[in-house]
Amino acid sequence: MLLHINPACLFQLLHGFPPWIMPTDGNLGGKNVQMGKPGHREGATMHVKKYLLKCLHRLQKGPGYTYKELLVWYCDNTNTHGPKRIICEGPKKKAMWFLLTLLFTALVCWQWGNFIRTYLSWEVSVSLSVGFKTMDFPAVTICNASPFKYSKVKHLLKDLDELMEAVLERILAPELSHANATRTLNSSIWNHTPLVLIDERNPHHPVILDLFGDNHNGLTNSSASEKICNAHGCKMAMRLCSLNGTQCTFRNFTSATQAVTEWYSLQATNIFAQVPHQELVEMSYPGEQMILACLFGAEPCNYRNFTSIFYPHYGNCYIFNWGMTEKALPSANPGTEFGLKLILDIGQEDYVPFLTSTAGVRLMLHEQRSYPFIRDEGIYAMSGTETSIGVLVDKLQRMGEPYSPCTVNGSEVPVQNFYSDYNTTYSIQACLRSCFQDHMIHSCKCGHYLYPLPRGEKYCNNRDFPDWAHCYSDLQMSVAQRETCIGMCKESCNDTQYKMTISMADWPSEASEDWIFHVLSQERDQSTNITLSRKGIVKLNIYFQEFNYRTIEESAANNLVWLLSNLGGQFGFWMGGSVLCLIEFGEIIIDFVWITIINLVALAKSLRQRRAQASYSGPPPTVAELVEAHTNFGFQPDTAPRSPNTGPYPNEQALPIPGTPPPNYDSLRLQPLDVIESDSEGDAI
């Protein structure tokens, strides 16, 4: 350790005075100073003086060994066994022990590298534990399979439905559709994303035909398209174009059912994206019509106990026991009698015919404070059945960085959460969809209708963004976009999953359907006429099977104690060493570095002195010559070499007038006072 000492204090210590006593004539700065008593102060001063002199001498000369002496000293004093035998044994055994020590050192380093690499891999072990306690009831989200009532959106879908009917006629009965070709259709909808026929019987030259007879490959006869469509190998595709139709791609389908369904859904998305949000809510199924009966345990409930959100795929959805600020409802006991019982009216007779081909209720169980991504994680319940859902709870607890790439609240995820307006917790589904919407806005200059929209942006539609469908299709099929979003988003460190056991039975039975439909119809419509049927009724029972819950928790597979134990075990087994041996090795490395620094400093000083001596052609002038040159301006030093046979004045000039010679100032040269002190406690010389 280098000591920073005040030069004045050091000067006093070197001359025998402590820093708090100044040797003056008794007057310091106009004040009388009384000297300290000789005694223990002088002893302490001498002790400090000797200690500082020893420290300075040690710093000046370094460890005091050459490299060879340092190695010999280490091998003779270390606690490891191999180096000692290298010093003590004869020449042959020295070589043998040197090779063995080198071999085992390499083996220890290899083992240490493996253990450190295993530790830095941050592997985890998973433990499963089972607990029993009273649990909070999960949030339950229910949605109708149809997002809108057809009676309320029929005016918006009029042109699209007529075009869809014409497409189906063209596919199913080409001859009849050719006879009804005089019907006027909205060509603007069709021209943006038309359906085409692709004949792939010749893979090197596929034939592409417009579904209504416009040929783009030299064929103008509509009967040719009919033959191609009826022939084997004819497939349907959507043509998606951009840049005013100059750049087109085709999205192929293996079935005409898939083709027309996807095409209609894309066109409907374009229409609904231009409708205000409040109008879309009013066109969907209201809660008072959908939720006919509700019972939670022994307590009755109704649609007012549900929170309504608008989900673009399913319209109005209703969530029971949901909210960040509300307290979750506890479940009193496991079993059907203590769960949630619902009777729902899906109104299947008013479904949008071409938009929804599935009838039933979409439902999902999730945490109370999480957003329901019901399209990806939900299940269907059939109409005309009683669906019983038994719930088991799994709690996942991940360790986080660096063991698991997870996040607690999503604050460190570099993706703006577009679902934050719902005041819900972070989830990887919200991150992935927000990431896709962000890419959509940057690539297509508009947002997709199915995802939340940030402020200041618009939803995509054919009127304002004619090329959006082509851009959306490319982005949806892009592998790079998916990998980018997956790399940016992280899983949640704490998650709860609800495992469901589903069973179904016909409801109501044939013996009881008459009175049940009478009662439900009267409660809904205040009429004795039966207005409900088996096609529109769904009954749900949601309950805990048991209060046992499973906790799946991660823990570090290799912790620091494991690492140190293995490192010490390998070092002790192969080298017979311990932690103190490592400290000794570190000490000798420090001494090596210190000796190297002192040698480099000495080398630099010697080089500097050599350069200074090389700048003069002869020996440096003496003090007498410098004084003479200063007082006599005509003085020139005799720099010419003199031979022994030549006199002091070779040109036989007159002898100088004798006078008083100048003093010999060479005798006044100051010699440095070398302070020599040994490593012992002896006095300084």
Side-chain angles (χ1 to χ4, degrees):
M1 181 182 293
L2 297 178
L3 300 176
H4 299 280
I5 304 174
N6 192 318
C9 297
L10 182 60
F11 178 84
Q12 297 166 26
L13 290 172
L14 294 176
H15 288 78
F17 296 98
W20 56 84
I21 300 177
M22 184 69 70
T24 63
D25 55 355
N27 190 351
L28 180 60
K31 297 182 181 180
N32 294 328
V33 179
Q34 186 175 3
M35 305 296 292
K37 295 181 180 181
H40 67 278
R41 283 191 176 182
E42 294 181 358
T45 302
M46 295 301 296
H47 181 72
V48 173
K49 170 189 171 183
K50 291 181 179 180
Y51 179 76
L52 291 177
L53 287 175
K54 186 175 181 180
C55 291
L56 291 174
H57 183 61
R58 179 67 177 173
L59 289 174
Q60 189 177 18
K61 74 173 185 177
Y65 302 104
T66 62
Y67 293 118
K68 181 179 179 181
E69 292 173 348
L70 195 60
L71 284 174
V72 171
W73 176 88
Y74 172 75
C75 294
D76 194 31
N77 292 276
T78 184
N79 291 325
T80 52
H81 305 304
K84 290 183 178 181
R85 304 300 295 271
I86 295 175
I87 298 298
C88 301
E89 300 294 343
K92 295 182 179 180
K93 287 191 175 182
K94 279 184 179 180
M96 181 189 70
W97 278 103
F98 177 77
L99 293 176
L100 289 176
T101 302
L102 188 63
L103 174 63
F104 291 151
T105 301
L107 185 61
V108 169
C109 293
W110 175 66
Q111 292 285 355
W112 280 8
N114 289 335
F115 286 124
I116 293 174
R117 184 170 59 252
T118 303
Y119 175 75
L120 295 180
S121 63
W122 310 115
E123 295 179 353
V124 297
S125 60
V126 180
S127 60
L128 177 64
S129 59
V130 180
F132 178 84
K133 68 174 183 178
T134 301
M135 290 179 292
D136 294 334
F137 200 77
V140 180
T141 299
I142 54 174
C143 305
N144 203 329
S146 178
F148 304 106
K149 288 186 173 184
Y150 187 58
S151 58
K152 294 187 176 181
V153 298
K154 190 174 183 179
H155 64 286
L156 297 174
L157 302 177
K158 180 177 180 299
D159 294 338
L160 181 60
D161 289 345
E162 292 179 353
L163 193 59
M164 184 67 173
E165 291 175 357
V167 169
L168 294 177
E169 289 178 359
R170 187 66 175 169
I171 295 174
L172 299 176
E175 297 82 3
L176 297 177
S177 64
H178 191 69
N180 298 332
T182 57
R183 182 173 50 176
T184 59
L185 301 174
N186 189 345
S187 60
S188 62
I189 300 178
W190 180 259
N191 292 334
H192 278 94
T193 52
L195 288 170
V196 296
L197 301 174
I198 301 179
D199 183 8
E200 296 180 342
R201 288 177 295 182
N202 185 1
H204 300 288
H205 184 65
V207 180
I208 301 174
L209 295 170
D210 192 287
L211 195 61
F212 289 105
D214 295 332
N215 194 347
H216 300 278
N217 291 278
L219 297 176
T220 57
N221 190 358
S222 61
S223 61
S225 65
E226 296 171 8
K227 294 180 181 179
I228 292 176
C229 186
N230 292 330
H232 178 72
C234 181
K235 297 180 180 180
M236 296 192 67
M238 278 194 299
R239 185 170 65 225
L240 305 171
C241 298
S242 63
L243 302 176
N244 296 325
T246 58
Q247 182 179 354
C248 297
T249 59
F250 296 89
R251 184 179 176 186
N252 299 338
F253 298 92
T254 57
S255 172
T257 302
Q258 294 177 336
V260 296
T261 301
E262 293 293 327
W263 176 82
Y264 188 93
S265 177
L266 185 66
Q267 299 293 347
T269 298
N270 166 66
I271 295 173
F272 293 135
Q274 305 177 51
V275 180
H277 175 77
Q278 187 59 36
E279 294 185 14
L280 294 176
V281 173
E282 295 175 355
M283 290 186 295
S284 185
Y285 288 84
E288 58 270 20
Q289 294 183 8
M290 183 176 175
I291 303 173
L292 298 180
C294 176
L295 190 66
F296 180 68
E299 297 293 331
C301 51
N302 55 31
Y303 70 94
R304 295 185 181 89
N305 299 108
F306 290 76
T307 303
S308 175
I309 64 170
F310 183 82
Y311 203 86
H313 291 95
Y314 302 108
N316 291 337
C317 294
Y318 302 94
I319 310 177
F320 180 78
N321 192 30
W322 186 63
M324 290 290 291
T325 59
E326 299 178 1
K327 186 177 180 180
L329 296 174
S331 179
N333 282 302
T336 309
E337 298 300 322
F338 301 95
L340 178 66
K341 300 177 182 180
L342 295 172
I343 298 178
L344 306 175
D345 178 17
I346 62 175
Q348 188 178 164
E349 67 279 357
D350 206 9
Y351 272 25
V352 181
F354 300 123
L355 185 62
T356 305
S357 58
T358 303
V361 171
R362 188 78 170 176
L363 64 96
M364 175 185 171
L365 307 182
H366 54 96
E367 288 186 279
Q368 188 197 18
R369 294 172 176 83
S370 65
Y371 185 86
F373 293 94
I374 192 168
R375 188 186 187 192
D376 306 308
E377 301 177 5
I379 61 172
Y380 276 115
M382 293 175 54
S383 59
T385 61
E386 178 177 350
T387 303
S388 297
I389 302 174
V391 182
L392 293 175
V393 181
D394 286 345
K395 295 183 178 181
L396 278 67
Q397 297 178 4
R398 301 180 178 89
M399 288 195 65
E401 297 290 348
Y403 295 95
S404 301
C406 67
T407 178
V408 177
N409 53 14
S411 58
E412 67 272 20
V413 177
V415 177
Q416 182 183 357
N417 186 8
F418 295 153
Y419 292 86
S420 58
D421 293 340
Y422 294 96
N423 195 24
T424 54
T425 57
Y426 171 85
S427 65
I428 190 172
Q429 293 86 354
C431 180
L432 292 174
R433 283 150 185 79
S434 299
C435 182
F436 179 84
Q437 184 75 308
D438 184 69
H439 282 83
M440 185 80 183
I441 292 172
H442 283 83
S443 301
C444 308
K445 310 304 178 185
C446 59
H448 198 275
Y449 163 73
L450 299 178
Y451 307 105
L453 191 69
R455 293 187 179 91
E457 303 295 339
K458 291 184 178 180
Y459 280 125
C460 297
N461 59 80
N462 294 338
R463 181 185 61 190
D464 300 328
F465 308 95
D467 300 338
W468 79 270
H470 178 271
C471 179
Y472 167 69
S473 179
D474 289 346
L475 195 63
Q476 190 181 31
M477 301 299 295
S478 173
V479 178
Q481 183 274 331
R482 291 196 296 269
E483 291 180 349
T484 300
C485 290
I486 291 174
M488 296 172 65
C489 295
K490 299 180 180 180
E491 290 184 322
S492 179
C493 291
N494 298 315
D495 194 11
T496 301
Q497 297 180 354
Y498 296 95
K499 305 297 182 181
M500 295 178 286
T501 303
I502 304 172
S503 60
M504 291 181 293
D506 289 339
W507 186 87
S509 63
E510 293 183 359
S512 58
E513 66 177 1
D514 185 48
W515 71 268
I516 289 178
F517 288 147
H518 265 99
V519 173
L520 292 176
S521 300
Q522 185 178 13
E523 290 177 346
R524 188 186 71 168
D525 301 327
Q526 300 298 321
S527 173
T528 57
N529 297 327
I530 298 178
T531 57
L532 294 175
S533 65
R534 185 180 297 273
K535 296 180 181 179
I537 293 296
V538 177
K539 186 177 181 181
L540 296 176
N541 297 323
I542 304 171
Y543 57 93
F544 280 117
Q545 283 185 320
E546 54 188 20
F547 276 171
N548 291 334
Y549 66 93
R550 298 186 304 175
T551 301
I552 303 174
E553 185 176 5
E554 291 182 348
S555 60
N558 306 313
N559 53 22
L560 188 59
V561 175
W562 173 89
L563 177 64
L564 295 177
S565 299
N566 284 278
L567 295 182
Q570 293 297 321
F571 188 52
F573 179 75
W574 295 107
M575 299 290 295
S578 62
V579 177
L580 296 178
C581 298
L582 298 178
I583 296 176
E584 291 174 352
F585 187 71
E587 180 185 9
I588 192 176
I589 290 178
I590 295 174
D591 289 342
F592 262 86
V593 173
W594 187 242
I595 292 175
T596 304
I597 292 175
I598 291 177
N599 292 338
L600 292 177
V601 172
L603 179 62
K605 287 183 179 180
S606 64
L607 291 176
R608 203 162 44 241
Q609 292 176 358
R610 291 177 184 176
R611 292 195 190 100
Q613 293 176 0
S615 61
Y616 298 96
S617 59
T622 63
V623 176
E625 292 174 345
L626 292 176
V627 172
E628 180 66 21
H630 182 71
T631 57
N632 184 5
F633 295 102
F635 173 78
Q636 296 293 333
D638 188 7
T639 58
R642 301 175 183 177
S643 63
N645 299 326
T646 306
Y649 300 97
N651 295 332
E652 296 181 355
Q653 296 178 357
L655 294 175
I657 300 174
T660 303
N664 186 8
Y665 288 98
D666 289 339
S667 62
L668 299 179
R669 292 181 183 270
L670 299 178
Q671 299 296 329
L673 178 60
D674 294 334
V675 179
I676 303 175
E677 189 216 1
S678 64
D679 287 340
S680 64
E681 297 293 337
D683 297 335
I685 299 176

